Amino acid sequence: MKRYLILFLLTFQGLMAQVQFEARVSKNTLGLNERLRIDFIMNVDGDNFEQPSFDGFKMVAGPSQQISQSWINGRSSFQKIYSYIIQPERKGSITIKQAAIEFNGQVYKTNPIKVTVTNAVAQERDPNDRPQGSGNELLNLVAEISKTNPYLNEPITVVYKLYFNNIGVTGFKELAKPKYNDFWNQNIDIKQLSVQQGSYQGQQAYYVILKKVILYPQKSGKLTIEPLSLDIGVQLPTNRRDMFGQMIITEDNKVVSAGAKTINVRPLPESSKPEGFTGAVGRFNFTVTPSKTTLKNGEGLDLVVSAQGTGNMKLFTLPKPVVPNALEMYDPVHDEQVTNSLNGMSGRITDKYTIVPQYRGKYAIKPMQFSYFDLSTGTYKTITSKEIMIDVLDGPTPAEANTGTAAKNVVAKADEFKNIKSKTALIPIEKKDFYDSSLYLGLLFAPFIIIPIIILARKKKEAMDNDVTGNRIRMNNKLAKKYLSQAKKHLNNKEPFYIALEKAMHNFLKAKLHIETSEMSKDNIRELLLSRNANAETVQNFIALTENCEFARYAPASSASIQQDYDKAVMIISELEKQIV
């Protein structure tokens, strides 16, 4: 008997060791515009196949299933394959998670696979695989850069144009946004996309300007602009015609990329850089303007320091005025009136200082200097403001103010000991006995109040613990609210949204109808809800929405339809709350 048991265990272990379940990909490195085939292969007829979520990829085709079985020299072999075609949605290292099957009560999983996604690559289509057209189809994304060797803080523009010809464009979405590391950047608004005629590499074509960006390099040397990549829906003609003789059009998707661009940024000259230069590059005027120069005692003035022109308006600081100690100057109020265009930033920036004089007299605000690098000449230029004289007509002079302060100090010293009392009345402190205090009485009677409260609370908790049905209803109510809240958080993520919404509706039914998951058939739910005076139309809407949750997880859905399903679920649950008795 022992020998048979050992033989059985060895045979069982051998069978277990023979189960193979693995994932294979057509390539481990691919471009953003390429597609990937992944096969999940098993040598047994496993059940309950669970595909991975394919985060970072979009599904192009699949799953397709293949089963093969053969007998060779008395030995059988079996193979089942689930295949998918997927396309990456972003660059970088992406992990395809585990798939799972069940066989003889045991769960088997594949190993995760790492795939590296690079920039979009040039692809040559197989002529037999391409829709038959004229052969002159053009679709290309270009980043046109105004200058590739600018100075530090010199504006350059990047205009992204989509060129096309003999091909229909139905829409596009961004797969990879361009990155402007070490650049200050600002998008130029495009109010409406419009198709224009032009040429691309000597060929007549149409183009659409998709994006305009103005860049100010903040670092010298070679800087890289990461590419913009788009997934574009296209319509291509075929050689087939319909029954009316018209050309049949086929729809497809194509990924295009503008490619990475390198900018060689020149540093500003160091040898001739003026003292006090704060980084202004462009062409500017500089003014220092007082609101008034003649003041009475207690009045103040506004001193406006301003630079206006074209250049990196938001990327430098204005000089600070130097005023005599007799003028009290407050921190400035900064204001920017700047517009952005393909020519760069232009407008005016100001610092407005409030100055309040303390004494009578005439005071000079020294000339101020503002330096900038002039791109047109490649040299530094300095603008110097005029000296400003402030005339305070009345009020104390510095000497009078000092004399008044000294007199006040003498009076203060004379009266310094005037109010000190020569006699002190001592009041005895009466010590009260603790046993007659309110604290003692409170501690004495506190147990007679607290103990009954504890007993009542404990009995109430025991009653709630024994109420199994009530606890289950409360738990289901809590779960329904929890999953409805989770669904709201996943309005932009289709599959988690519908999973949470379905759980919320199921737990709502459990709480209201006191049923279990095994009793949740469509007919039973309808019968129970109608017996509790629920409206027939509301019941039908509830069942329809529940059935739609499973379908919608795998069907294409827009953010608008997801929001509608959420609003519909809230409304149906609210109506059933009022109707069910």
Side-chain angles (χ1 to χ4, degrees):
M1 181 67 182
K2 185 176 180 181
R3 183 178 64 183
Y4 289 119
L5 179 60
I6 293 173
L7 181 62
F8 172 78
L9 290 175
L10 291 174
T11 304
F12 180 77
Q13 289 176 355
L15 289 174
M16 292 293 289
Q18 291 175 359
V19 176
Q20 296 178 357
F21 182 43
E22 61 178 337
R24 298 176 187 171
V25 291
S26 56
K27 57 180 75 176
N28 291 97
T29 301
L30 71 158
L32 190 62
N33 58 334
E34 293 185 299
R35 293 177 176 178
L36 178 74
R37 177 189 176 99
I38 181 167
D39 297 321
F40 298 98
I41 305 169
M42 63 192 81
N43 67 342
V44 294
D45 191 8
D47 296 323
N48 299 325
F49 172 72
E50 292 185 9
Q51 70 182 45
S53 60
F54 296 119
D55 293 334
F57 293 89
K58 72 173 182 179
M59 187 80 67
V60 177
S64 62
Q65 180 178 324
Q66 302 174 26
I67 297 178
S68 62
Q69 190 168 7
S70 62
W71 289 83
I72 300 175
N73 296 329
R75 291 185 178 183
S76 66
S77 62
F78 176 89
Q79 189 176 70
K80 182 192 283 188
I81 303 175
Y82 288 94
S83 299
Y84 297 83
I85 303 296
I86 55 179
Q87 183 169 334
E89 294 183 317
R90 56 182 171 83
K91 295 187 301 180
S93 179
I94 305 177
T95 300
I96 300 176
K97 298 180 181 178
Q98 296 173 307
I101 59 169
E102 288 184 16
F103 181 70
N104 287 340
Q106 183 77 20
V107 176
Y108 297 87
K109 294 184 178 181
T110 61
N111 292 324
I113 298 178
K114 283 190 177 181
V115 177
T116 302
V117 181
T118 63
N119 290 331
V121 298
Q123 288 181 305
E124 289 293 331
R125 282 180 176 260
D126 185 349
N128 298 321
D129 189 40
R130 183 177 64 187
Q132 298 297 317
S134 64
N136 296 323
E137 291 86 3
L138 167 67
L139 184 68
N140 207 352
L141 181 64
V142 176
E144 296 182 355
I145 299 178
S146 61
K147 197 169 187 178
T148 57
N149 60 336
Y151 278 108
L152 187 72
N153 264 312
E154 180 180 358
I156 62 173
T157 56
V158 184
V159 179
Y160 294 92
K161 293 182 179 180
L162 179 66
Y163 286 93
F164 60 95
N165 200 9
N166 298 324
I167 192 171
V169 177
T170 59
F172 66 90
K173 69 175 182 177
E174 288 188 359
L175 292 180
K177 294 181 180 292
K179 295 180 181 178
Y180 309 110
N181 297 328
D182 298 315
F183 289 94
W184 185 94
N185 65 87
Q186 178 71 49
N187 287 325
I188 307 298
D189 291 335
I190 300 177
K191 295 183 179 179
Q192 187 174 1
L193 299 180
S194 60
V195 179
Q196 304 177 53
Q197 285 187 328
S199 63
Y200 178 75
Q201 295 182 349
Q203 177 184 351
Q204 283 191 344
Y206 296 96
Y207 69 89
V208 177
I209 296 177
L210 302 179
K211 192 181 184 72
K212 298 178 182 178
V213 185
I214 182 168
L215 305 176
Y216 286 84
Q218 301 298 293
K219 180 181 176 182
S220 60
K222 290 186 177 181
L223 305 182
T224 301
I225 299 176
E226 295 291 332
L228 169 67
S229 297
L230 301 177
D231 183 1
I232 300 178
V234 297
Q235 292 178 332
L236 294 169
T238 67
N239 275 340
R240 294 179 289 120
R241 296 182 180 273
D242 59 19
M243 60 184 297
F244 301 105
Q246 295 181 346
M247 182 75 72
I248 295 177
I249 302 297
T250 183
E251 294 190 354
D252 196 4
N253 281 75
K254 190 169 183 180
V255 175
V256 294
S257 175
K261 303 294 181 181
T262 300
I263 307 297
N264 188 19
V265 182
R266 293 178 288 172
L268 299 178
E270 289 290 336
S271 58
S272 57
K273 184 179 292 185
E275 185 179 355
F277 175 73
T278 60
V281 176
R283 193 175 185 88
F284 303 96
N285 290 322
F286 176 71
T287 57
V288 180
T289 308
S291 59
K292 49 185 160 181
T293 57
T294 302
L295 304 174
K296 296 180 181 180
N297 184 28
E299 289 184 336
L301 66 92
D302 291 331
L303 186 68
V304 179
V305 181
S306 174
Q308 55 274 351
T310 301
N312 58 336
M313 301 293 297
K314 298 182 179 181
L315 303 176
F316 62 85
T317 57
L318 292 168
K320 185 176 180 179
V322 178
V323 300
N325 293 333
L327 302 179
E328 185 176 0
M329 184 172 68
Y330 295 89
D331 290 338
V333 176
H334 185 75
D335 181 53
E336 296 178 353
Q337 297 176 359
V338 179
T339 58
N340 293 287
S341 68
L342 288 180
N343 295 323
M345 288 186 280
S346 61
R348 173 190 180 99
I349 62 171
T350 59
D351 284 341
K352 184 168 70 173
Y353 295 85
T354 298
I355 298 176
V356 179
Q358 303 297 307
Y359 310 112
R360 183 174 71 244
K362 291 185 178 182
Y363 304 97
I365 298 178
K366 296 180 180 180
M368 299 173 61
Q369 289 187 337
F370 172 73
S371 299
Y372 67 93
F373 183 77
D374 190 345
L375 292 169
S376 60
T377 61
T379 59
Y380 292 99
K381 293 188 177 180
T382 300
I383 302 174
T384 304
S385 67
K386 295 180 179 179
E387 184 179 72
I388 299 172
M389 292 299 300
I390 304 299
D391 188 6
V392 184
L393 300 178
D394 54 8
T397 64
E400 291 173 348
N402 290 334
T403 303
T405 303
K408 288 180 182 178
N409 289 338
V410 171
V411 172
K413 288 182 179 179
D415 294 339
E416 189 172 355
F417 300 101
K418 184 176 180 179
N419 295 321
I420 295 180
K421 294 182 179 180
S422 58
K423 295 182 180 181
T424 303
L426 299 175
I427 302 173
I429 299 175
E430 182 181 355
K431 187 176 180 182
K432 191 174 181 181
D433 194 353
F434 172 71
Y435 292 102
D436 293 331
S437 66
S438 56
L439 177 61
Y440 170 76
L441 296 175
L443 294 174
L444 181 64
F445 291 102
F448 297 99
I449 300 173
I450 295 173
I451 291 174
I453 294 175
I454 294 174
I455 293 172
L456 290 174
R458 185 171 181 179
K459 287 184 177 180
K460 186 174 181 180
K461 184 178 183 303
E462 290 175 352
M464 290 180 66
D465 292 342
N466 293 330
D467 184 10
V468 177
T469 302
N471 287 336
R472 188 175 62 207
I473 292 171
R474 283 188 290 272
M475 178 58 70
N476 289 332
N477 257 324
K478 185 176 179 181
L479 288 173
K481 292 177 181 178
K482 171 188 173 183
Y483 286 120
L484 196 59
S485 175
Q486 284 185 3
K488 188 174 182 180
K489 293 178 181 177
H490 291 292
L491 286 174
N492 295 324
N493 199 346
K494 181 183 64 177
E495 188 171 346
F497 167 80
Y498 282 107
I499 292 174
L501 187 63
E502 186 178 12
K503 289 181 179 180
M505 299 179 74
H506 281 179
N507 280 283
F508 172 77
L509 282 183
K510 289 181 182 180
K512 294 301 176 184
L513 302 182
H514 310 162
I515 60 175
E516 296 299 328
T517 305
S518 59
E519 302 174 275
M520 282 194 180
S521 66
K522 182 170 65 175
D523 294 335
N524 192 34
I525 290 172
R526 181 182 286 108
E527 182 180 347
L528 288 173
L529 287 174
L530 292 175
S531 68
R532 299 286 293 275
N533 294 337
N535 183 276
E537 182 181 355
T538 307
V539 173
Q540 182 58 36
N541 290 339
F542 184 93
I543 294 173
L545 183 58
T546 305
E547 293 175 341
N548 182 57
C549 286
E550 180 67 25
F551 171 76
R553 287 165 56 186
Y554 304 101
S558 64
S559 58
S561 63
I562 292 175
Q563 182 67 52
Q564 289 173 3
D565 285 345
Y566 176 78
D567 295 338
K568 188 185 296 183
V570 173
M571 182 186 68
I572 291 172
I573 290 175
S574 177
E575 289 179 355
L576 289 177
E577 282 274 13
K578 298 175 184 177
Q579 295 169 7
I580 294 176
V581 296

